[in-house]
Amino acid sequence: MSTLRLGVFVSGSGTNLQAILDACRTGRIAAQVAVVISNNREAYALERARQAGVPGVYIPAGSRSGSPRWEVADPCHLEVLGDYGVELICMAGYMRRLGPQVLEAYAGRVLNIHPALLPSFIGAHGQRDALRYGVRISGCTVHFADANFDTGPVIIQAAVPVLPDDDEASLAARILQQEHKIYPQAIQWYAQGRLVIEGRHVRVLNARPPTIAEAIINPGLEIF
Ligand code: GRF
């Protein structure tokens, strides 16, 4: 049986990549990572790809502050994506935007994960910004990507409490545990053809609605 071919874009440690690789290997998602693309030659994610026997490709994509070199990066990305027959792009801790040519070629076929409950705390520091703001609940979001940062239609979110002694690292770790669950789930829904984009909304066909017991209230109620 042919499985969905993924191109995973990374910049850093690649724990989400690992969760996706593991879910593919164990058959929890009907997909395979065809190629890993990194803008960072030193990314540990590339080592994870190597250990999994998946090709890893380094493609520089300009500095975050400098002007994006899409006219250079776009054709390189498209060539590699084509070479490996990529059907779905998964940005997993990729700290750059994709260029217009890639987004056009893969319209409706690019997923991203963000470490906050969108539309709150967009940008590169979702956990730090949530802590500074003082929210009691944060979380993570898997969404379809568009030309802007973190603004495409939402597929799935998970919420976690922000605890009094949290620092950025402890909150990030709590959120990551949920990222590793909801990203493979979103990919599996896509692979099953169950995601329907309707404007800003994503319908997940035959999805189980959450029960009220799955609500997170923080601090917990004491008066009932
Ligand atoms: C994750 O928190 C992801 O949501 C954000 O960057 C982090 C990447 O972590 N975009 P990893 O490289 O998957 O470990």
Side-chain angles (χ1 to χ4, degrees), residues 16 21 27 41 44 48 70 131 138 169 171 177 187 217 224:
N16 277 289
L21 287 165
R41 203 196 299 265
Y44 186 69
R48 293 180 191 273
W70 285 326
L131 270 179
S138 192
L171 178 59
Q177 286 186 350
I187 294 167
I217 301 173
F224 298 111

Side-chain angles (χ1 to χ4, degrees), residues 9 14 84 104 110-111 131 135-136 140 167 169 171 184:
F9 280 68
Y84 289 98
E104 191 183 327
V110 183
L111 306 186
L131 270 179
V135 293
R136 299 288 192 175
C140 47
D167 57 17
L171 178 59

Side-chain angles (χ1 to χ4, degrees), residues 126-144:
Q127 305 96 330
R128 189 187 72 189
D129 294 343
L131 270 179
R132 284 188 180 166
Y133 194 89
V135 293
R136 299 288 192 175
I137 293 172
S138 192
C140 47
T141 304
V142 179
H143 62 98
F144 283 103

Side-chain angles (χ1 to χ4, degrees), residues 122-172:
I122 62 172
H125 303 286
Q127 305 96 330
R128 189 187 72 189
D129 294 343
L131 270 179
R132 284 188 180 166
Y133 194 89
V135 293
R136 299 288 192 175
I137 293 172
S138 192
C140 47
T141 304
V142 179
H143 62 98
F144 283 103
D146 60 15
N148 301 309
F149 277 116
D150 308 325
T151 55
V154 170
I155 299 168
I156 184 171
Q157 296 183 303
V160 302
V162 180
L163 301 180
D165 293 334
D166 268 339
D167 57 17
E168 195 176 338
S170 63
L171 178 59

Side-chain angles (χ1 to χ4, degrees), residues 203-216:
R203 200 142 53 92
V204 183
L205 302 177
N206 303 314
R208 178 178 73 82
T211 65
I212 203 69
E214 288 167 342
I216 292 174

